[in-house]
């Protein structure tokens, strides 16, 4: 059996474990790298070389800063402040949530930003008797497009920069993505405010649903 076939089989097994999560994902990833070394696909000394990659270190630093903002309550305080100034009207609340979602996700984890603002949005929607479904989808979109504003806003930006640097080319600057990210974010917000809102579902919260 050739090395290419062995590598393909290993890739299929690792992909299956990633999808099914039969074992923790961290163990799957580590075991895959070790298997590559044991089977001779890569030199043994390169099995864990990726852990010292500058891209991985940048990922770790981004998660630490983001977690600090969430655990200290700073991110939620920012969200509450913006929503407080925008009011509880459906249109103004939608604009406020998208604005703060875009800004926070540009420097933090997209998923963490959405998770942080989720209870804020649900609580305000319940108090103002506004269908939560009409606010959560714009918030999710805002956290998505906000991540492309900076280099650390979303993992693909960091990976692309790391690939360029590894190839001996000049990587992207921290705000270089903003030339595309900011126009896309503005266009997305305008679309949701004037067109997209008419396509949003209207799902009322259950009377006995608890809002944290």
């Amino acid at each position: 059996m050739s090395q290419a076939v062995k590598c393909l089989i290993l890739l299929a097994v690792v992909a299956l474990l990633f999808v099914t999560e039969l074992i923790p994902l961290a163990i799957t990833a580590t075991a895959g790298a070790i298997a590559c070394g044991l089977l001779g696909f890569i030199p043994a000394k390169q099995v864990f070389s990726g852990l010292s990659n500058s891209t991985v270190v940048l990922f770790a630093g981004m998660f630490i800063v983001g977690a600090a903002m969430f655990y200290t309550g700073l991110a939620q305080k920012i969200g509450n402040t913006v929503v407080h100034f925008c009011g509880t009207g459906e249109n103004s609340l939608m604009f406020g949530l998208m604005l703060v979602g875009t800004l926070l996700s540009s420097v933090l984890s997209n998923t963490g930003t959405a998770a942080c603002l989720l209870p804020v949005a649900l609580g305000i929607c319940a108090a103002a008797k506004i269908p939560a479904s009409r606010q959560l989808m714009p918030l999710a979109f805002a956290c998505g497009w906000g991540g492309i504003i900076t280099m650390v806003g979303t993992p693909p930006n960091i990976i692309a920069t790391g690939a360029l640097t590894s190839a001996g080319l000049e990587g992207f600057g921290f705000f270089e993505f903003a030339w595309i990210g900011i126009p896309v974010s503005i266009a997305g917000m305008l679309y949701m405010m004037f067109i997209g809102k008419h396509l949003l579902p209207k799902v009322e919260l259950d009377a006995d649903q608890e809002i944290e």
Side-chain angles (χ1 to χ4, degrees):
M1 185 181 299
S2 65
Q3 288 288 82
V5 175
K6 293 180 181 179
C7 185
L8 185 60
I9 295 175
L10 176 62
L11 178 62
V13 172
V14 172
L16 178 63
L17 292 177
F18 272 129
V19 173
T20 59
E21 298 187 22
L22 295 177
I23 58 177
L25 297 180
I27 296 179
T28 299
T30 305
I34 295 175
C36 287
L38 294 177
L39 294 174
F41 299 153
I42 58 176
K45 63 180 180 180
Q46 293 185 3
V47 171
F48 297 109
S49 61
L51 297 178
S52 62
N53 188 281
S54 59
T55 301
V56 177
V57 176
L58 184 57
F59 267 134
M62 181 185 66
F63 292 147
I64 293 173
V65 173
M69 291 190 66
F70 295 138
Y71 282 111
T72 58
L74 176 59
Q76 187 166 357
K77 182 176 179 60
I78 294 174
N80 288 334
T81 302
V82 173
V83 172
H84 172 74
F85 283 107
C86 292
T88 56
E90 184 172 340
N91 291 333
S92 60
L93 179 59
M94 182 185 300
F95 174 77
L97 288 174
M98 287 194 297
L99 179 63
V100 69
T102 299
L103 295 177
L104 288 179
S105 63
S106 66
V107 293
L108 303 176
S109 167
N110 297 18
T111 305
T113 300
C116 171
L117 295 179
L118 179 62
V120 178
L122 288 177
I124 294 176
C125 289
K129 306 300 181 182
I130 298 175
S133 60
R134 297 182 60 82
Q135 303 296 332
L136 297 184
M137 190 175 291
L139 173 61
F141 288 151
C143 293
W145 63 55
I148 60 178
I149 294 179
T150 65
M151 185 178 65
V152 299
T154 185
N157 292 359
I158 304 177
I159 294 174
T161 303
L164 286 175
T165 304
S166 300
L169 302 174
E170 183 179 357
F172 295 111
F174 188 85
F175 289 106
E176 195 166 350
F177 293 93
W179 291 104
I180 296 177
I182 292 179
V184 169
S185 299
I186 294 176
M189 294 176 68
L190 291 176
Y191 174 82
M192 290 303 303
M193 291 293 297
F194 295 101
I195 300 178
K197 68 177 182 180
H198 300 294
L199 306 176
L200 295 174
K202 294 183 179 180
V203 181
E204 299 288 348
L205 293 174
D206 296 332
D208 58 347
Q209 183 174 357
E210 295 183 0
I211 304 298
E212 181 180 355

